[in-house]
Every structure is written in C-alpha cells, then in structure tokens.
Amino acid sequence: MKVDGTHYRTIWPAADGWAVEVIDQTRLPHAFVTVRLETVADAARAITSMQVRGAPLIGATAAYGLCLAVRRDPSDRALRSAFELLLGTRPTGVNLRWALDDMMGVLRQLPPGRRAEAAYRRAAEICDEDVEICAAIGDHGLALIEQAWERKGKTGRVNVLTHCNAGWLATVDWGTALAPVYKAHDLSLPIHVWVDETRPRNQGARLTAWELGQHGVAHTVVVDNAGGHLMQQGMVDLCITGTDRTTASGDVCNKIGTYLQALAAFDNGVPFYVALPSPTIDWTIGDGVRDIPIEERDVGEVTCMTGRTADGAEASVTITPEGSPAANYAFDVTPARLVTGLITERGVCAASADGLADLFPEHKARAP
Ligand code: MRU
C-alpha cells in the first residue's frame, strides 16, 4: 500500500541484499521510520517490542530472522537456537510457528553451506505468498461488502466496524480484515470504517486510522466500548476483524475486546466476519478457549498511555493510582457460534469444522 504516494511493503530486503528493513510501527502515526535488522536478535527484538506486529507480519519477520541467523552461522546448533529464540517471542499467533516450521523444513535438509541462499529465497516466497493470500481475501470479502451495499438499497454508505489493526501493517501488504475495505474503496463503493481504538496499545487509533487515512478511506475512531451502541443504532452494517489463531472448529483468537464486539454483533443481528490467511489456522486444536495460550503483556501498557504532546514530543503519562494492580491480557477467543463466516483466500465459509474442511480438504484428516 502507499505511504505519501510511495508503495511500501511492511518488510523487505535492504539494498545490500542481506539485511532486512521494516517499518517501525511503535513510531506510527506520528513518525514514519524504517529500521534495519542485521541479526536474528534484531529480528526477535523487533517482534517482542512490537516494532513489527500482526500475525502474518510476525511470521514473515521470523522467516527473515532465520535468514539473518544462518548467514552468520549455518550450523545445526545455531539454526536450532535461532528457531527457539524466534519461537519464544510471542505466544498466541500461530503464523509464527507456521513460518518457522516451513523454513526449518527447507533448511534442515540442506548442508550448512547451502542454507543461507535457500533461506532468503524461501523467506521472500513466504512474503509474496502472504501478499497473494491477502489480495484473495480482499476479493472474497469485497463480495460481502457489495452484498451489504445491495441490502441498503445502494444508499448512504457501508459501515464496517473493525478491531485492532488487521490492515496492511499487520501483514506484508493488503491486510486481512481491511483488504476487502481497500478493494471496495478502490472500486468507489462508498465505505466508512468504525475504528476501535483498541486499548491498551491502541493499534486501532494509531495504526488502522493511519493506514486508512493514507489510502483515503473514510473512517472514525471510537472507544472500544462504543461498538454496542453503534450496533443498536443501526450504524454498523458488518464487522470484519482479523485473527491470530483459528481453531479447526472455527473459534478465533484476536486482540482483546474482539469477543465483546462479537457478542454485541450477535445481539443486534449484525454480521460478524473474521478474515484469515490459512497459516493462522491451527489444525491441531478444536477448543480455542481451552487450548489457545493468551499472551499477557507488561502492565505498563495498561497503566500508562503514550502519545504526542502539543509541542510535538512523544510522551507517556500514568493514568492509574499509584499501587493499583493491573493485568494485561492481550487476546481473547470468540467462539465459532458468534462468527457469521470466515473469509479466507479460498472463499468464505461457515465458522465450523465442516466449513473449514470443505475449503481445506487436505487438512481434514488432521482436524481434531
Ligand atoms: O498484538 P498485535 O498488534 O500483534 O495484534 C494483532 C491483531 O490482533 C490482529 O488483529 C491480528 O494479528 C490479525 S492480523 C492480520
């Protein structure tokens, strides 16, 4: 997608052909800064500090992290230790393990001397595949937006509510939940996005609002608690969110607060769709509430807020009383029964074991 008129992906090989560059998402929306990653430790740090985030982009960064590791030391021991380091960066999204397993499958069978070249080739393919997958999600999701537009008698605009950032910044390009929005906008469909701010890290207010604005898509930032009210007032035509891990039975795990929006949507008869690339499906588990590990992050993200002051400086302020305990659960699970449909690169299916197995028959035997 474009930043001030220039096309960017979120991750790309540097001009020297071996280092990797990413957009530092901790600096957005107030500064557009790119960062150079030179070692596997740099890649791991970029993921844990959330300079890069979003399940597909985390997977792509981990893939390049292995490239940086084997470039320095292609031995089995170094490869294993890079794998462990990267795998431990964030626990909830499954693309991370998917990308690492994919890379290890390629690298383990090669002699050390041939690993670096193969690693860079496969990491680039993983990125290209992510772009293709997200573009296809956009095409399938576009049909749902067009249907909503038809249902409204082609008057007014289609109002989509989204949570967190599942736009191009969370992937290599296009995004998952926002890919259909971009496709609709590019076809001149009148579309407007309600952007949940997404406390505590405000990926909605900081990132989704920024990328929609860069692309010229109409949007309004609302507090996370506004969704229920908007839906009661008929101001939301459909919800589309992303997911960091989807079970074989269609439960989806996404940024904390997604479940509450799904409950409000269910109560108000608003369609609630979840967009996902197939690498976010964990075919080994069926019960998301029981089996998906929920990341718990530093409570400082809850007790403090960071933003720009009137003089343009970045500042962090404390908003809770000194001594009040806080907790920071980063994700929640929305059970499949609350999900109207899953938008995948192969089409839209019911959020159920049968729905997913119909689209991905090659995994049917593995589903629990
Ligand atoms: O903690 P984050 O910012 O990595 O969480 C991201 C999300 O929850 C996204 O909705 C998710 O990764 C889906 S991305 C296409």
Side-chain angles (χ1 to χ4, degrees), residues 50 52-56 58 90 163-167 170-171 175-177 201 203 207 241-244 254-255 275 277 295 297 330-331:
M50 294 179 67
V52 294
R53 28 67 53 201
I58 290 169
R90 293 197 68 190
H163 193 71
C164 194
N165 173 260
T171 64
T176 57
R201 288 189 67 100
Q203 289 96 326
L207 305 176
T241 74
T243 165
D244 290 72
N254 193 49
K255 184 53 55 191
E295 178 177 16
R297 297 184 57 84
F331 294 92

Side-chain angles (χ1 to χ4, degrees), residues 2-354:
K2 289 197 168 154
V3 178
D4 295 331
T6 303
H7 181 263
Y8 277 89
R9 284 185 174 187
T10 52
I11 186 166
W12 62 94
D16 55 26
W18 66 268
V20 178
E21 293 191 43
V22 295
I23 299 168
D24 183 350
Q25 301 194 20
T26 62
R27 303 294 307 280
L28 289 170
H30 303 306
F32 182 80
V33 175
T34 62
V35 175
R36 183 176 158 91
L37 311 178
E38 297 191 346
T39 64
V40 62
D42 289 346
R45 205 174 311 110
I47 297 172
T48 49
S49 68
M50 294 179 67
Q51 285 178 315
V52 294
R53 28 67 53 201
L57 177 57
I58 290 169
T61 308
Y64 271 115
L66 283 187
C67 299
L68 297 168
V70 294
R71 180 181 174 270
R72 286 209 168 183
D73 180 351
S75 68
D76 284 352
R77 195 183 46 79
L79 183 60
R80 188 80 223 158
S81 117
F83 173 85
E84 298 292 346
L85 173 70
L86 291 162
L87 188 63
T89 49
R90 293 197 68 190
T92 297
V94 82
N95 303 57
L96 174 62
R97 174 174 272 284
W98 172 86
L100 288 170
D101 283 346
D102 183 295
M103 293 287 291
M104 292 297 273
V106 172
L107 299 180
R108 256 195 306 246
Q109 60 187 356
L110 292 173
R114 290 182 47 209
R115 283 179 178 164
E117 193 194 339
Y120 279 96
R121 194 178 323 115
R122 184 61 196 136
E125 283 169 5
I126 285 176
C127 290
D128 290 346
E129 283 164 17
D130 184 64
V131 178
E132 272 175 40
I133 285 174
C134 288
I137 288 171
D139 291 333
H140 295 301
L142 169 64
L144 301 171
I145 292 174
E146 285 172 333
Q147 286 160 19
W149 178 230
E150 300 275 342
R151 278 198 302 276
K152 294 187 90 163
K154 298 191 177 182
T155 54
R157 57 189 186 176
V158 178
N159 289 295
V160 176
L161 181 138
T162 194
H163 193 71
C164 194
N165 173 260
W168 74 271
L169 288 170
T171 64
V172 177
D173 206 348
W174 280 110
T176 57
L178 294 190
V181 168
Y182 289 127
K183 297 261 177 178
H185 175 84
D186 291 351
L187 288 175
S188 301
L189 273 167
I191 190 152
H192 166 263
V193 182
W194 295 109
V195 178
D196 285 352
E197 63 174 347
T198 318
R199 277 282 284 149
R201 288 189 67 100
N202 295 319
Q203 289 96 326
R206 295 175 75 106
L207 305 176
T208 299
W210 179 80
E211 61 162 270
L212 289 173
Q214 284 287 329
H215 201 74
V217 179
H219 62 280
T220 306
V221 179
V222 287
V223 296
D224 295 326
N225 305 330
H229 169 72
L230 295 174
M231 293 184 217
Q232 279 177 331
Q233 297 299 319
M235 294 162 81
V236 180
D237 297 303
L238 71 163
C239 302
I240 313 180
T241 74
T243 165
D244 290 72
R245 196 186 295 222
T246 308
T247 68
S249 57
D251 294 346
V252 291
C253 182
N254 193 49
K255 184 53 55 191
I256 193 82
T258 304
Y259 173 44
L260 292 179
Q261 302 297 22
L263 283 171
F266 190 76
D267 193 44
N268 287 282
V270 173
F272 188 92
Y273 289 98
V274 178
L276 58 114
S278 55
T280 66
I281 305 170
D282 185 343
W283 297 100
T284 67
I285 58 176
D287 183 336
V289 174
R290 189 189 61 200
D291 294 334
I292 297 180
I294 300 297
E295 178 177 16
E296 289 183 52
R297 297 184 57 84
D298 191 314
V299 295
E301 294 179 354
V302 175
T303 59
C304 296
M305 283 189 81
T306 304
R308 188 166 63 169
T309 59
D311 62 6
E314 284 273 319
S316 189
V317 293
T318 302
I319 54 173
T320 51
E322 204 176 312
S324 280
N328 188 5
Y329 300 98
F331 294 92
D332 61 24
V333 174
T334 300
R337 67 188 156 78
L338 298 177
V339 179
T340 309
L342 301 174
I343 311 170
T344 78
E345 69 269 27
R346 294 196 190 167
V348 180
C349 69
S352 66
D354 287 345

